[in-house]
Amino acid sequence: VHKAEEGDYDFTLRPGFLNENGLTATGRGTAVHKIMQYMDYDKIREDFDGEIERLKEWEYISEEEAKVDTKHIKAFVKSRLFERMCSSEKLKREMKFLTFLPAEKINGNVPENFKNEQIVVQGAVDCMFIEDGGVVIVDFKTDRVNDEKKLIDCYAEQLNIYAMACEKITGLPVKEKIIYSL
């Protein structure tokens, strides 16, 4: 999204997000993540379709993004994880971070003389909440896979980096890292 004239926002989708058949796979994933980021947790329970309409009306999502298949988001809203998030002590969505981590923590194969060098790491955690004195990290994925091990193998390193950042930010231990497949 880039700022247009007079404070309005231009929600024209970037190349690669829209084709002649509608949203591309990347565009659908982006749309789902935007809905997950901006939806009002109380309103979505009461009136799911109305909340999607509100997101479109308030220009959090585009007309095309509002047409994305939301069956997996509906299932998430009915899940035990959603209930945990809603009743948590603190909840942050799309928590951006910028931190320094030792090179060895990012890549265990660095030469000995570089292991303690600090590397700048930047990212955004889809969801982080505090429960029973510990941090729970939730990473939403829209990949089309049938094997959960593939998701874990693909994203474990990313979640480990998120965990290190969340521990530094909150001063609390990470008690759980969750990949939630949408």
Side-chain angles (χ1 to χ4, degrees):
V1 178
H2 60 276
K3 195 164 186 173
E5 305 221 0
E6 297 180 23
D8 291 332
Y9 288 90
D10 179 0
F11 280 85
T12 306
L13 295 171
R14 296 177 293 202
F17 284 76
L18 190 63
N19 62 29
E20 63 278 350
N21 299 322
L23 292 173
T24 63
T26 302
R28 286 190 300 276
T30 299
V32 168
H33 272 82
K34 285 167 76 174
I35 292 168
M36 298 298 289
Q37 177 181 358
Y38 294 117
M39 69 182 179
D40 181 307
Y41 279 14
D42 292 325
K43 291 179 182 175
I44 200 95
R45 290 184 209 195
E46 298 166 16
D47 181 10
F48 189 92
D49 294 334
E51 179 59 6
I52 299 301
E53 186 60 33
R54 181 192 72 84
L55 294 177
K56 182 179 74 172
E57 182 180 311
W58 288 16
E59 298 183 342
Y60 286 107
I61 59 174
S62 69
E63 184 82 34
E64 278 301 312
E65 289 170 322
K67 296 175 189 173
V68 73
D69 185 355
T70 57
K71 69 182 173 194
H72 300 295
I73 299 171
K74 286 178 183 175
F76 168 72
V77 169
K78 295 176 183 173
S79 73
R80 172 71 184 116
L81 177 59
F82 183 76
E83 289 304 320
R84 287 174 63 194
M85 290 166 58
C86 290
S87 63
S88 67
E89 299 164 37
K90 184 174 187 174
L91 173 71
K92 292 275 201 177
R93 293 185 274 173
E94 284 299 314
M95 185 183 79
K96 292 176 175 49
F97 66 87
L98 179 70
T99 190
F100 288 94
L101 295 174
E104 179 180 40
K105 297 277 188 178
I106 305 299
N107 181 347
N109 296 324
V110 297
E112 189 67 35
N113 57 327
F114 290 110
K115 287 188 176 190
N116 292 320
E117 289 295 320
Q118 296 293 302
I119 296 176
V120 176
V121 180
Q122 177 179 338
V125 178
D126 288 342
C127 179
M128 186 260 336
F129 63 96
I130 297 174
E131 174 185 76
D132 300 325
V135 175
V136 179
I137 296 169
V138 182
D139 196 29
F140 299 110
K141 297 298 180 193
T142 58
D143 305 46
R144 288 195 187 270
V145 294
N146 294 322
D147 181 4
E148 71 180 49
K149 184 173 175 0
K150 284 184 183 178
L151 273 179
I152 293 167
D153 290 346
C154 190
Y155 296 107
E157 188 174 322
Q158 176 185 0
L159 277 133
N160 289 335
I161 291 170
Y162 288 175
M164 287 183 272
C166 287
E167 285 179 348
K168 281 181 78 172
I169 291 165
T170 65
L172 298 171
V174 170
K175 68 178 217 164
E176 195 172 357
K177 297 177 276 188
I178 299 169
I179 297 173
Y180 191 94
S181 179
L182 293 159

